Amino acid sequence: MIGSLSLDQLRILVTIADVGSFSAAGRQLRRAQSAISQSVATLEAGQGVLLFDRSGHRPRLTETGRVLVDQARLVLSSAARFEAVATGARGGVEPELALAIDPLVPTGPLIESLRGLHQAYPHLPISFSTEGLGGALRLLRSGEVALAFCLLLPAVPSDVVASPLLRVALMPVVGAGHLLAALGRPATRDDLESHVQLVLSDPVDREGNDYGLASATRWRFVDLGRRLDFLLAGLGWCRMPSHLIVEHLRAGNLVQIDLAEDARDPADDLTIYAARRVDNEPGPAGRWLLNDLQVRLSL
């Protein structure tokens, strides 16, 4: 019961709307027509509204009835999800799967794995948090998410269990109109120092580790897309994930630059990890997602 009404009453109401008559609803629900009529009358009396106009040959939904049928569908759908989540929980499935994703994680394979996860667990609530650099790890440690797909620099923390998923190649690039694009030789540290470097930064831990810095002037960004906008506008240089700029390179909007003193530090090829807390073993849905991603993104 929900107050003065029941899910059975709502199911009867929706069935009548779908099949067109009380008698057809009775046949579909295997109830006597009198029981269907009584249920509707009780629902109308309890709510103080008229759901059907009975002046014609067949009862027709009133305007109020049409609106309440839509609401009844929502309630029934929500109840079905409630039961499905409870059934899954009895079988050990997580009641919810919360994920955090760093900005450098490629979205294409993740979307495909999540599509498969939804097919395997259609009623599982999934929540996402797309965080700035370092944010996914913070959410994982705080217990707000069960899994994080993120960078772990300079090393995997002791309170985290992490599996490498893939490596992301970073390419030093500038806009086609930038002075470094026309240098005609590998850029030295002296060449880079006089130009703005566009740096992806942790919005919280600004004093944390920095990798691959070479310019005296650094503009810091939390949003990878915003940094790309500045790069395309010719307002600096940076290392960008190759999967995000391949089309811009083909179109000639960006130009790869050679670095004369590139020492291949940890920022040049980044490892994306699937991470969880040591004290929080993922459930069946989380394990399904991790396995599927590992197959798609195996190093």
Side-chain angles (χ1 to χ4, degrees), residues 14-71:
V14 167
T15 303
I16 295 170
D18 287 343
V19 300
S21 71
F22 285 25
S23 58
R27 289 192 294 273
Q28 177 145 331
L29 296 173
R30 299 188 178 183
R31 312 270 186 92
Q33 182 174 337
S34 58
I36 298 294
S37 299
Q38 182 59 50
S39 176
V40 172
T42 301
L43 181 58
E44 289 176 322
Q47 300 305 310
V49 296
L50 187 66
L51 298 172
F52 290 93
D53 178 356
R54 297 168 174 81
S55 61
H57 176 65
R58 284 187 173 184
R60 292 183 298 106
L61 282 168
T62 63
E63 184 176 350
T64 298
R66 286 193 293 273
V67 172
L68 290 180
V69 164
D70 290 340
Q71 295 301 312

Side-chain angles (χ1 to χ4, degrees), residues 119-183:
Q119 292 171 350
Y121 298 90
H123 297 288
L124 175 69
I126 303 172
S127 62
F128 302 91
S129 180
T130 303
E131 294 296 312
L133 199 64
L137 180 58
R138 279 190 291 275
L139 289 180
L140 182 69
R141 283 174 154 167
S142 71
E144 295 179 59
V145 300
L147 297 173
F149 303 103
C150 58
L151 307 176
L152 295 172
L153 293 173
V156 177
S158 61
D159 59 338
V160 167
V161 175
S163 302
L165 289 178
L166 79 159
R167 295 186 72 80
V168 174
L170 296 187
M171 298 173 60
V173 289
V174 292
H178 195 279
L179 290 176
L180 289 173
L183 193 60

Side-chain angles (χ1 to χ4, degrees), residues 13-272:
L13 175 62
V14 167
T15 303
I16 295 170
D18 287 343
V19 300
S21 71
F22 285 25
S23 58
R27 289 192 294 273
Q28 177 145 331
L29 296 173
R30 299 188 178 183
R31 312 270 186 92
Q33 182 174 337
S34 58
I36 298 294
S37 299
Q38 182 59 50
S39 176
V40 172
T42 301
L43 181 58
E44 289 176 322
Q47 300 305 310
V49 296
L50 187 66
L51 298 172
F52 290 93
D53 178 356
R54 297 168 174 81
S55 61
H57 176 65
R58 284 187 173 184
R60 292 183 298 106
L61 282 168
T62 63
E63 184 176 350
T64 298
R66 286 193 293 273
V67 172
L68 290 180
V69 164
D70 290 340
Q71 295 301 312
R73 292 188 196 279
L74 292 175
V75 172
L76 291 172
S77 177
S78 207
R81 287 195 298 272
F82 180 95
E83 291 182 329
V85 171
T87 299
R90 289 195 300 272
V93 178
E94 304 94 313
E96 180 184 29
L97 185 60
L99 312 171
I101 306 165
D102 264 1
L104 292 173
V105 177
T107 56
L110 184 61
I111 287 173
E112 291 308 310
S113 287
L114 288 169
R115 193 193 310 278
L117 177 66
H118 181 64
Q119 292 171 350
Y121 298 90
H123 297 288
L124 175 69
I126 303 172
S127 62
F128 302 91
S129 180
T130 303
E131 294 296 312
L133 199 64
L137 180 58
R138 279 190 291 275
L139 289 180
L140 182 69
R141 283 174 154 167
S142 71
E144 295 179 59
V145 300
L147 297 173
F149 303 103
C150 58
L151 307 176
L152 295 172
L153 293 173
V156 177
S158 61
D159 59 338
V160 167
V161 175
S163 302
L165 289 178
L166 79 159
R167 295 186 72 80
V168 174
L170 296 187
M171 298 173 60
V173 289
V174 292
H178 195 279
L179 290 176
L180 289 173
L183 193 60
R185 57 175 171 76
T188 66
R189 185 168 290 272
D190 288 340
D191 294 322
L192 298 174
E193 189 172 10
S194 61
H195 294 283
V196 173
Q197 185 173 359
L198 309 177
V199 180
L200 194 64
S201 179
D202 186 329
V204 175
D205 185 13
R206 290 188 174 271
E207 301 303 319
N209 294 316
D210 283 322
Y211 299 98
L213 298 183
S215 298
T217 304
R218 301 156 191 167
W219 292 359
R220 295 184 178 273
F221 296 80
V222 175
D223 186 306
L224 196 61
R226 187 79 66 186
R227 184 172 73 153
L228 178 58
D229 290 340
F230 276 63
L231 186 64
L232 289 167
L235 293 176
W237 76 276
C238 67
R239 295 175 173 87
M240 283 289 289
S242 58
H243 67 275
L244 291 180
I245 59 172
V246 60
E247 294 302 325
H248 291 294
L249 290 169
R250 288 173 182 165
N253 301 320
L254 293 178
V255 175
Q256 182 176 3
I257 56 176
D258 293 325
L259 303 183
E261 303 169 31
D262 199 3
R264 306 298 292 173
D265 61 44
D268 293 324
D269 284 318
L270 297 174
T271 300
I272 302 297

Side-chain angles (χ1 to χ4, degrees), residues 285-299:
R287 293 196 299 272
W288 190 102
L289 179 61
L290 290 176
N291 181 69
D292 193 74
L293 278 169
Q294 285 168 344
V295 170
R296 293 179 190 274
L297 298 175
S298 56
L299 290 170

